[in-house]
PDB file of all heavy atoms in Angstrom:
ATOM      1  N   LYS A  32       6.568  30.846 -31.388  1.00  0.00           N
ATOM      2  CA  LYS A  32       6.298  32.028 -32.179  1.00  0.00           C
ATOM      3  C   LYS A  32       7.533  32.767 -32.602  1.00  0.00           C
ATOM      4  O   LYS A  32       7.496  33.931 -33.144  1.00  0.00           O
ATOM      5  CB  LYS A  32       5.291  32.874 -31.436  1.00  0.00           C
ATOM      6  CG  LYS A  32       3.925  32.272 -31.471  1.00  0.00           C
ATOM      7  CD  LYS A  32       2.944  33.244 -30.835  1.00  0.00           C
ATOM      8  CE  LYS A  32       1.489  32.630 -30.981  1.00  0.00           C
ATOM      9  NZ  LYS A  32       1.026  32.781 -32.393  1.00  0.00           N
ATOM     10  N   LYS A  53      10.482  39.412  -2.502  1.00  0.00           N
ATOM     11  CA  LYS A  53      11.833  39.972  -2.699  1.00  0.00           C
ATOM     12  C   LYS A  53      11.662  41.401  -3.314  1.00  0.00           C
ATOM     13  O   LYS A  53      12.572  42.160  -3.280  1.00  0.00           O
ATOM     14  CB  LYS A  53      12.616  38.940  -3.607  1.00  0.00           C
ATOM     15  CG  LYS A  53      12.950  37.701  -2.934  1.00  0.00           C
ATOM     16  CD  LYS A  53      13.757  36.812  -3.951  1.00  0.00           C
ATOM     17  CE  LYS A  53      14.264  35.546  -3.248  1.00  0.00           C
ATOM     18  NZ  LYS A  53      15.004  34.704  -4.199  1.00  0.00           N
ATOM     19  N   SER A 106     -11.589  42.574 -22.751  1.00  0.00           N
ATOM     20  CA  SER A 106     -11.529  41.989 -21.469  1.00  0.00           C
ATOM     21  C   SER A 106     -10.440  42.336 -20.670  1.00  0.00           C
ATOM     22  O   SER A 106      -9.288  42.537 -21.203  1.00  0.00           O
ATOM     23  CB  SER A 106     -11.632  40.430 -21.589  1.00  0.00           C
ATOM     24  OG  SER A 106     -11.459  39.806 -20.457  1.00  0.00           O
ATOM     25  N   TYR A 116     -22.372  38.102  -6.025  1.00  0.00           N
ATOM     26  CA  TYR A 116     -22.772  39.364  -6.695  1.00  0.00           C
ATOM     27  C   TYR A 116     -21.565  40.405  -6.514  1.00  0.00           C
ATOM     28  O   TYR A 116     -21.617  41.403  -7.304  1.00  0.00           O
ATOM     29  CB  TYR A 116     -24.092  39.911  -5.808  1.00  0.00           C
ATOM     30  CG  TYR A 116     -24.007  40.133  -4.433  1.00  0.00           C
ATOM     31  CD1 TYR A 116     -23.470  41.275  -3.837  1.00  0.00           C
ATOM     32  CD2 TYR A 116     -24.447  39.098  -3.542  1.00  0.00           C
ATOM     33  CE1 TYR A 116     -23.328  41.435  -2.527  1.00  0.00           C
ATOM     34  CE2 TYR A 116     -24.374  39.367  -2.150  1.00  0.00           C
ATOM     35  CZ  TYR A 116     -23.780  40.392  -1.599  1.00  0.00           C
ATOM     36  OH  TYR A 116     -23.754  40.617  -0.306  1.00  0.00           O
ATOM     37  N   TRP A 129     -20.351  44.362 -19.624  1.00  0.00           N
ATOM     38  CA  TRP A 129     -19.609  45.482 -19.381  1.00  0.00           C
ATOM     39  C   TRP A 129     -20.063  46.715 -20.067  1.00  0.00           C
ATOM     40  O   TRP A 129     -20.309  47.826 -19.541  1.00  0.00           O
ATOM     41  CB  TRP A 129     -17.948  45.309 -19.726  1.00  0.00           C
ATOM     42  CG  TRP A 129     -17.207  46.585 -19.752  1.00  0.00           C
ATOM     43  CD1 TRP A 129     -16.850  47.301 -18.530  1.00  0.00           C
ATOM     44  CD2 TRP A 129     -17.002  47.389 -20.857  1.00  0.00           C
ATOM     45  NE1 TRP A 129     -16.301  48.366 -18.998  1.00  0.00           N
ATOM     46  CE2 TRP A 129     -16.278  48.525 -20.346  1.00  0.00           C
ATOM     47  CE3 TRP A 129     -17.089  47.247 -22.214  1.00  0.00           C
ATOM     48  CZ2 TRP A 129     -15.933  49.517 -21.198  1.00  0.00           C
ATOM     49  CZ3 TRP A 129     -16.705  48.202 -23.015  1.00  0.00           C
ATOM     50  CH2 TRP A 129     -16.036  49.409 -22.543  1.00  0.00           C
ATOM     51  N   HIS A 169      -0.755  68.009  19.014  1.00  0.00           N
ATOM     52  CA  HIS A 169      -0.147  67.832  20.294  1.00  0.00           C
ATOM     53  C   HIS A 169       0.955  66.643  20.177  1.00  0.00           C
ATOM     54  O   HIS A 169       1.908  66.849  20.996  1.00  0.00           O
ATOM     55  CB  HIS A 169      -1.135  67.379  21.347  1.00  0.00           C
ATOM     56  CG  HIS A 169      -2.230  68.410  21.537  1.00  0.00           C
ATOM     57  ND1 HIS A 169      -2.042  69.722  22.134  1.00  0.00           N
ATOM     58  CD2 HIS A 169      -3.611  68.533  21.182  1.00  0.00           C
ATOM     59  CE1 HIS A 169      -3.105  70.317  22.216  1.00  0.00           C
ATOM     60  NE2 HIS A 169      -3.982  69.705  21.576  1.00  0.00           N
ATOM     61  N   LEU A 209     -14.803  47.270   7.704  1.00  0.00           N
ATOM     62  CA  LEU A 209     -15.164  46.559   6.498  1.00  0.00           C
ATOM     63  C   LEU A 209     -14.112  47.009   5.443  1.00  0.00           C
ATOM     64  O   LEU A 209     -13.518  46.083   4.652  1.00  0.00           O
ATOM     65  CB  LEU A 209     -16.449  46.897   5.984  1.00  0.00           C
ATOM     66  CG  LEU A 209     -17.648  46.145   6.600  1.00  0.00           C
ATOM     67  CD1 LEU A 209     -18.916  46.643   6.052  1.00  0.00           C
ATOM     68  CD2 LEU A 209     -17.572  44.718   6.293  1.00  0.00           C
ATOM     69  N   ALA A 236     -15.777  25.240  -8.412  1.00  0.00           N
ATOM     70  CA  ALA A 236     -16.462  24.076  -7.832  1.00  0.00           C
ATOM     71  C   ALA A 236     -16.499  24.009  -6.290  1.00  0.00           C
ATOM     72  O   ALA A 236     -17.506  23.813  -5.670  1.00  0.00           O
ATOM     73  CB  ALA A 236     -15.772  22.679  -8.342  1.00  0.00           C
ATOM     74  N   LYS A 238     -16.083  26.944  -4.645  1.00  0.00           N
ATOM     75  CA  LYS A 238     -16.539  28.294  -4.390  1.00  0.00           C
ATOM     76  C   LYS A 238     -15.559  29.005  -3.441  1.00  0.00           C
ATOM     77  O   LYS A 238     -15.683  29.727  -2.339  1.00  0.00           O
ATOM     78  CB  LYS A 238     -17.777  28.286  -3.652  1.00  0.00           C
ATOM     79  CG  LYS A 238     -19.011  27.801  -4.462  1.00  0.00           C
ATOM     80  CD  LYS A 238     -20.394  27.810  -3.788  1.00  0.00           C
ATOM     81  CE  LYS A 238     -21.493  27.385  -4.559  1.00  0.00           C
ATOM     82  NZ  LYS A 238     -22.739  27.282  -3.967  1.00  0.00           N
ATOM     83  N   ASN A 264     -38.301  59.565   1.890  1.00  0.00           N
ATOM     84  CA  ASN A 264     -38.177  60.622   0.721  1.00  0.00           C
ATOM     85  C   ASN A 264     -36.818  61.410   0.852  1.00  0.00           C
ATOM     86  O   ASN A 264     -36.860  62.695   0.823  1.00  0.00           O
ATOM     87  CB  ASN A 264     -39.376  61.477   0.662  1.00  0.00           C
ATOM     88  CG  ASN A 264     -39.439  62.203  -0.661  1.00  0.00           C
ATOM     89  OD1 ASN A 264     -38.887  61.725  -1.719  1.00  0.00           O
ATOM     90  ND2 ASN A 264     -40.004  63.370  -0.877  1.00  0.00           N
ATOM     91  N   ALA A 316     -21.286  49.794  -5.776  1.00  0.00           N
ATOM     92  CA  ALA A 316     -20.858  50.509  -4.587  1.00  0.00           C
ATOM     93  C   ALA A 316     -19.632  49.858  -3.915  1.00  0.00           C
ATOM     94  O   ALA A 316     -18.805  50.496  -3.389  1.00  0.00           O
ATOM     95  CB  ALA A 316     -21.959  50.622  -3.497  1.00  0.00           C
ATOM     96  N   GLY A 323     -11.970  53.398  -4.514  1.00  0.00           N
ATOM     97  CA  GLY A 323     -11.920  54.782  -4.133  1.00  0.00           C
ATOM     98  C   GLY A 323     -11.054  55.061  -2.824  1.00  0.00           C
ATOM     99  O   GLY A 323     -10.319  55.900  -2.678  1.00  0.00           O
ATOM    100  N   ALA A 327      -6.965  56.378  -3.433  1.00  0.00           N
ATOM    101  CA  ALA A 327      -6.934  57.809  -3.001  1.00  0.00           C
ATOM    102  C   ALA A 327      -6.008  57.901  -1.736  1.00  0.00           C
ATOM    103  O   ALA A 327      -5.379  58.918  -1.657  1.00  0.00           O
ATOM    104  CB  ALA A 327      -8.338  58.330  -2.758  1.00  0.00           C
ATOM    105  N   THR A 330      -2.479  57.394  -2.817  1.00  0.00           N
ATOM    106  CA  THR A 330      -1.942  58.584  -3.679  1.00  0.00           C
ATOM    107  C   THR A 330      -1.734  59.780  -2.876  1.00  0.00           C
ATOM    108  O   THR A 330      -0.784  60.485  -2.936  1.00  0.00           O
ATOM    109  CB  THR A 330      -2.938  58.784  -4.770  1.00  0.00           C
ATOM    110  OG1 THR A 330      -3.043  57.657  -5.678  1.00  0.00           O
ATOM    111  CG2 THR A 330      -2.516  59.960  -5.632  1.00  0.00           C
ATOM    112  N   VAL A 344       8.731  72.628  -3.301  1.00  0.00           N
ATOM    113  CA  VAL A 344       7.495  72.323  -3.949  1.00  0.00           C
ATOM    114  C   VAL A 344       6.206  72.525  -3.065  1.00  0.00           C
ATOM    115  O   VAL A 344       5.303  72.973  -3.413  1.00  0.00           O
ATOM    116  CB  VAL A 344       7.480  70.728  -4.500  1.00  0.00           C
ATOM    117  CG1 VAL A 344       6.195  70.329  -5.095  1.00  0.00           C
ATOM    118  CG2 VAL A 344       8.666  70.572  -5.501  1.00  0.00           C
ATOM    119  N   GLN A 369     -10.620  73.369  -8.875  1.00  0.00           N
ATOM    120  CA  GLN A 369     -10.433  73.351 -10.291  1.00  0.00           C
ATOM    121  C   GLN A 369      -9.552  74.396 -10.837  1.00  0.00           C
ATOM    122  O   GLN A 369      -8.855  74.213 -11.869  1.00  0.00           O
ATOM    123  CB  GLN A 369     -11.857  73.462 -11.055  1.00  0.00           C
ATOM    124  CG  GLN A 369     -12.897  72.519 -10.632  1.00  0.00           C
ATOM    125  CD  GLN A 369     -12.433  71.094 -10.429  1.00  0.00           C
ATOM    126  OE1 GLN A 369     -11.855  70.518 -11.382  1.00  0.00           O
ATOM    127  NE2 GLN A 369     -12.601  70.498  -9.227  1.00  0.00           N
ATOM    128  N   ILE A 421       6.892  52.365 -17.517  1.00  0.00           N
ATOM    129  CA  ILE A 421       6.799  53.415 -18.564  1.00  0.00           C
ATOM    130  C   ILE A 421       7.051  54.714 -17.850  1.00  0.00           C
ATOM    131  O   ILE A 421       7.733  55.631 -18.300  1.00  0.00           O
ATOM    132  CB  ILE A 421       5.425  53.496 -19.212  1.00  0.00           C
ATOM    133  CG1 ILE A 421       5.509  52.181 -20.160  1.00  0.00           C
ATOM    134  CG2 ILE A 421       5.262  54.646 -20.171  1.00  0.00           C
ATOM    135  CD1 ILE A 421       4.007  52.013 -20.788  1.00  0.00           C
ATOM    136  N   GLY A 458      -8.499  54.676 -23.062  1.00  0.00           N
ATOM    137  CA  GLY A 458      -9.419  54.122 -24.081  1.00  0.00           C
ATOM    138  C   GLY A 458     -10.762  53.930 -23.367  1.00  0.00           C
ATOM    139  O   GLY A 458     -11.069  54.456 -22.287  1.00  0.00           O
ATOM    140  N   LYS A 482      -3.589  74.933   6.145  1.00  0.00           N
ATOM    141  CA  LYS A 482      -3.400  75.248   7.563  1.00  0.00           C
ATOM    142  C   LYS A 482      -2.137  74.621   8.299  1.00  0.00           C
ATOM    143  O   LYS A 482      -1.760  75.245   9.267  1.00  0.00           O
ATOM    144  CB  LYS A 482      -4.592  74.580   8.447  1.00  0.00           C
ATOM    145  CG  LYS A 482      -5.990  75.237   8.136  1.00  0.00           C
ATOM    146  CD  LYS A 482      -7.080  74.718   9.017  1.00  0.00           C
ATOM    147  CE  LYS A 482      -6.930  74.987  10.442  1.00  0.00           C
ATOM    148  NZ  LYS A 482      -8.136  74.558  11.166  1.00  0.00           N
ATOM    149  N   LEU A 485       4.500  70.359   6.510  1.00  0.00           N
ATOM    150  CA  LEU A 485       4.810  69.099   6.797  1.00  0.00           C
ATOM    151  C   LEU A 485       6.439  68.947   6.537  1.00  0.00           C
ATOM    152  O   LEU A 485       6.925  69.791   5.854  1.00  0.00           O
ATOM    153  CB  LEU A 485       4.198  68.104   5.828  1.00  0.00           C
ATOM    154  CG  LEU A 485       2.767  68.086   5.751  1.00  0.00           C
ATOM    155  CD1 LEU A 485       2.256  67.222   4.493  1.00  0.00           C
ATOM    156  CD2 LEU A 485       2.065  67.513   7.030  1.00  0.00           C
TER     157      LEU A 485
END
Side-chain angles (χ1 to χ4, degrees):
K32 290 188 171 291
K53 294 181 179 179
S106 174
Y116 58 85
W129 168 77
H169 296 291
L209 278 177
K238 296 183 177 180
N264 196 28
T330 299
V344 175
Q369 306 315 304
I421 292 170
K482 294 182 66 176
L485 306 170

